[in-house]
Amino acid sequence: MERQMFRKTLELLQSSDRLLHCEKPVDPIYELGAVLDYFNSEQPIVFSNVKGHKVPVVGGVFGERQIYYDLMGVTKEDRLQRIMHAIANPKPPKLLDTGPVKENIITRNIDIGRMFPIPKSNGKDSERFITAGMLVVKDPVTKKTYMAVRRFQINEKDEINALISGASPLLIRHFNELEARGEKLECALVLGYDAEYLLASQISSEKYGVDKYHVDSALRGEPLELVKCHSIDVEVPAFAEIVLEGYLVPNKRVDEGPFGELMGYYGEVAPNPVMKIQTVMHRNNPYFQHAFPSPEEHLSNGLIREAEVFSYVNNLVDAKDVHVTVPGGCRFHAIVQINKKHEGDPKTAIMGALGSSKDIKHVVVVDEDINIYDNRDVEIALASRVQAGKDLVVIGGALGSGLEASHVAQGYTDKLGIDATKPLGEKAKLFERAVIPGYENIDIGKYFPDMK
Ligand SMILES: Cc1cc2nc3c(=O)[nH]c(=O)nc-3n(C[C@H](O)[C@H](O)[C@H](O)COP(=O)(O)O)c2cc1C
C-alpha cells in the first residue's frame, strides 16, 4: 500500500473506477493533450504507450471537484473549514532517512527531454512544457518551505525556464536578493504529488507567510513525509515520482512562451528566470504527471480561493458558501451565498469578496435558497432578483490579474458586484419558490424501467 502522493492517488482512483487507461500509442505532441481536453481535463487518464518513451504520462487527475473531496475525505459542507483550519493551525512534516523517490539518482548526462515524455499542448506553444511541476524553494532566512505549480519551458538538456508570475512577490524577492549578490536560489521541481500537497501549494506565501509543508501536514491530518534532496538543501516528498534538483541561475533570463494558457489564449512572450538541473531523482517505473492547460486544471487554486473569499465575507456578514467557478478561470468569478439579515449585507459581501484578492473580478451574491453550483439556479436569481439601477456595484480602474486578457489589454480591471438577493420583510413572499412535495424521493427508473 502506498502511503502518500501520486501512487496512493492512482490507487484510490482505480479502486473507485475513476481511472481510464489508454494503451494505444499516443504522440506527446498535441495528441495526448487533445485526448485530455476532450474530457475537459476532468477525467484522470494513464497513457502507458507514449510514442518514443517508456515512461507513462498521467493527466486530468485534479480537474474535478468531487475527486478532491473523495481523495481528501471531505464533504462540500466541511471543506472550507478544513482548509481554513489547516492554514491557521499548521503542523510539522516528518523527515525520513530515505524514500522511494531516491530509488534512482542521476547526476550526469541529464537530458530532460529524452528522459521524460514531456508534452506539447497547443499549436503555437514555443516548446514542450512541464505544466504540473511543483517548484519548491526554501526561504533563505526563515528556512520555511514554499511550493507552487509553475510551468517550465524545455530549453536545453539540463536547462528549463520558469514562468514566475508577478503575483509571486515572495519568490521574486528571494531570487532578486540572492541574484544581487551573484548567488543561486536552490530549488526542486516535484512531479507526482497528491491533492493535499497541491492544495497547500495554492495558498499565497506572501499573504500567509506560513510554511506550506506545515499547511500540507495539517490538511492531510498526518505529517507530510519528506526526504532531503541529493544535491541541494531542500526537502521533497519521499513518495513523489520525479524530482529535478538545481537552482535558478543568477543574472540570466530567457524568453518564455508563447504558451496557450488556462483561459485559452496565448500568453505574452517575456524573459523569465532559468533553472539549471544538477540532479534527477525518480522512483522505479515513474509516472510523469501532466496538466493540460485548462481552467479545470486550476481547480486547486479555485478551492483555496473559495475558502479565502468565504473568510473575508464571513468577517462582515453571515456567509454560507462560496463557489469560485471553473469557466471563470478558478479565480475571476465568485458566487457568494449568504444568510441575508440586513438590506446592507449583499453590498458588504461584495466588498469582502472583491477585497479578498485582486483576481476576483465579478461577484454575484445570492440567498440560501439558490444552489450556487447550478448555473441554472444562479441565472434564475439574476433574472428575477436583480434591478440594475440599484443592485450593481462597479469599481473602475482596479488591479486585476495578468492571466486575464482584457486586464492585460487595458492595464487595469473594472470590478463588478451584483446583489441577486431577494428583499427582506413582506416582499420576500414574492420570492417563495414552488416545491413539489416528495420530489426528492422520486425513483425515475420505476416509471421507465428500460431507460439507461
Ligand atoms: C496547474 C497550475 C499551473 C500554474 N502555473 C503557474 C505558472 O506557470 N506560473 C506561476 O507563477 N503560477 C502558476 N500557477 C499558480 C501558482 O501555483 C499559485 O498562484 C501559487 O499559490 C503561487 O504561490 P505563491 O503565492 O507562494 O507564489 C499555477 C497553478 C496551477 C494549479
Side-chain angles (χ1 to χ4, degrees):
M1 268 293 274
E2 294 289 331
R3 288 216 289 270
Q4 294 178 353
M5 299 294 137
F6 210 49
R7 286 196 203 193
K8 168 98 184 281
T9 302
L10 296 183
E11 274 182 9
L12 292 169
L13 292 171
Q14 183 68 45
S15 62
S16 57
D17 262 349
R18 282 219 180 86
L19 199 55
L20 275 187
H21 293 268
C22 173
E23 274 141 32
K24 299 267 180 242
V26 174
D27 198 323
I29 312 299
Y30 308 138
E31 190 183 5
L32 187 145
V35 176
L36 288 170
D37 198 38
Y38 176 85
F39 292 100
N40 280 337
S41 301
E42 288 174 323
Q43 171 61 58
I45 306 177
V46 180
F47 297 91
S48 47
N49 188 352
V50 183
K51 284 181 189 168
H53 293 271
K54 290 207 174 74
V55 173
V57 174
V58 187
V61 176
F62 297 114
E64 205 265 321
R65 186 175 280 271
Q66 192 60 44
I67 285 183
Y68 284 88
Y69 299 166
D70 293 348
L71 288 173
M72 295 171 65
V74 295
T75 61
K76 177 158 71 65
E77 287 70 33
D78 66 16
R79 77 195 196 280
L80 299 171
Q81 295 302 335
R82 270 278 292 271
I83 292 170
M84 291 189 300
H85 188 265
I87 297 173
N89 300 280
K91 297 266 183 302
K94 182 174 164 188
L95 188 63
L96 308 185
D97 291 337
T98 190
V101 73
K102 292 195 137 174
E103 281 163 354
N104 302 273
I105 299 179
I106 299 138
T107 56
R108 285 195 293 173
N109 300 324
I110 291 171
D111 183 347
I112 293 302
R114 194 178 47 76
M115 292 167 82
F116 300 113
I118 303 170
K120 189 171 185 180
S121 301
N122 287 298
K124 287 190 180 170
D125 285 2
S126 53
E127 248 302 341
R128 299 192 289 158
F129 281 82
I130 300 174
T131 52
M134 191 70 78
L135 183 70
V136 186
V137 295
K138 238 188 215 184
D139 184 314
V141 179
T142 65
K143 301 292 174 198
K144 287 179 183 168
T145 299
Y146 297 108
M147 76 279 199
V149 185
R150 319 258 183 212
R151 71 174 188 243
F152 279 84
Q153 173 181 280
I154 309 304
N155 294 340
E156 292 175 29
K157 289 178 177 176
D158 61 351
E159 255 190 37
I160 56 184
N161 88 321
L163 175 79
I164 298 178
S165 79
S168 313
L170 194 72
L171 175 58
I172 291 171
R173 204 164 59 236
H174 290 156
F175 180 49
N176 289 346
E177 279 166 14
L178 290 169
E179 189 172 46
R181 302 199 294 267
E183 291 173 24
K184 307 163 178 169
L185 176 63
E186 290 187 335
C187 59
L189 196 59
V190 175
L191 285 162
Y193 42 80
D194 58 14
E196 288 88 348
Y197 193 74
L198 175 57
L199 282 175
S201 81
Q202 295 304 297
I203 69 165
S204 155
S205 43
E206 187 70 22
K207 189 181 284 182
Y208 299 101
V210 60
D211 188 316
K212 294 196 192 183
Y213 277 180
H214 290 234
V215 176
D216 171 304
S217 298
L219 203 52
R220 72 177 63 245
E222 63 177 26
L224 166 66
E225 298 189 321
L226 300 169
V227 289
K228 284 199 166 301
C229 279
H230 179 75
S231 49
I232 57 171
D233 177 27
V234 169
E235 286 82 40
V236 288
F239 292 86
E241 294 295 315
I242 298 167
V243 172
L244 313 180
E245 298 179 12
Y247 54 88
L248 294 187
V249 184
N251 303 309
K252 182 166 181 174
R253 302 287 187 278
V254 170
D255 272 352
E256 196 265 1
F259 177 79
E261 292 183 340
L262 80 153
M263 297 306 281
Y265 304 116
Y266 288 103
E268 288 179 307
V269 180
N272 266 287
V274 169
M275 177 181 174
K276 183 88 175 166
I277 301 163
Q278 295 166 294
T279 303
V280 175
M281 305 199 292
H282 67 82
R283 294 184 68 153
N284 293 336
N285 306 314
Y287 290 100
F288 185 85
Q289 183 184 355
H290 177 59
F292 181 82
S294 67
E296 288 75 12
E297 280 291 4
H298 285 249
L299 185 55
S300 53
N301 200 276
L303 291 168
I304 294 298
R305 273 160 209 269
E306 286 173 354
E308 223 163 62
V309 173
F310 180 86
S311 75
Y312 273 69
V313 174
N314 203 42
N315 271 342
L316 304 168
V317 303
D318 187 6
K320 289 297 164 194
D321 198 359
V322 175
H323 179 197
V324 171
T325 67
V326 170
C330 296
R331 33 173 73 69
F332 306 128
H333 288 173
I335 320 288
V336 177
Q337 188 187 53
I338 63 167
N339 168 21
K340 179 171 162 181
K341 294 176 181 160
H342 313 96
E343 286 300 349
D345 282 357
K347 297 263 169 58
T348 306
I350 288 169
M351 291 196 287
L354 291 177
S356 69
S357 98
K358 67 180 180 46
D359 290 0
I360 301 279
K361 187 180 170 190
H362 299 148
V363 179
V364 179
V365 181
V366 297
D367 300 293
E368 286 179 85
D369 64 342
I370 298 295
N371 178 356
I372 60 174
Y373 301 94
D374 180 353
N375 289 344
R376 189 177 172 275
D377 226 25
V378 174
E379 195 171 337
I380 286 173
L382 287 170
S384 60
R385 299 183 183 185
V386 177
Q387 285 299 325
K390 67 175 181 59
D391 291 327
L392 305 192
V393 178
V394 178
I395 299 165
L399 265 184
S401 161
L403 281 171
E404 201 268 285
S406 75
H407 167 86
V408 177
Q410 183 170 253
Y412 57 87
T413 280
D414 296 340
K415 311 255 171 174
L416 172 67
I418 305 178
D419 170 2
T421 60
K422 54 191 179 189
L424 295 171
E426 264 304 291
K427 289 191 179 145
K429 284 189 189 144
L430 293 167
F431 299 85
E432 185 185 346
R433 302 192 74 182
V435 174
I436 309 172
Y439 176 84
E440 61 283 1
N441 299 324
I442 288 282
D443 171 11
I444 213 72
K446 191 175 102 186
Y447 306 94
F448 308 102
D450 298 335
M451 193 175 79
K452 289 207 175 119

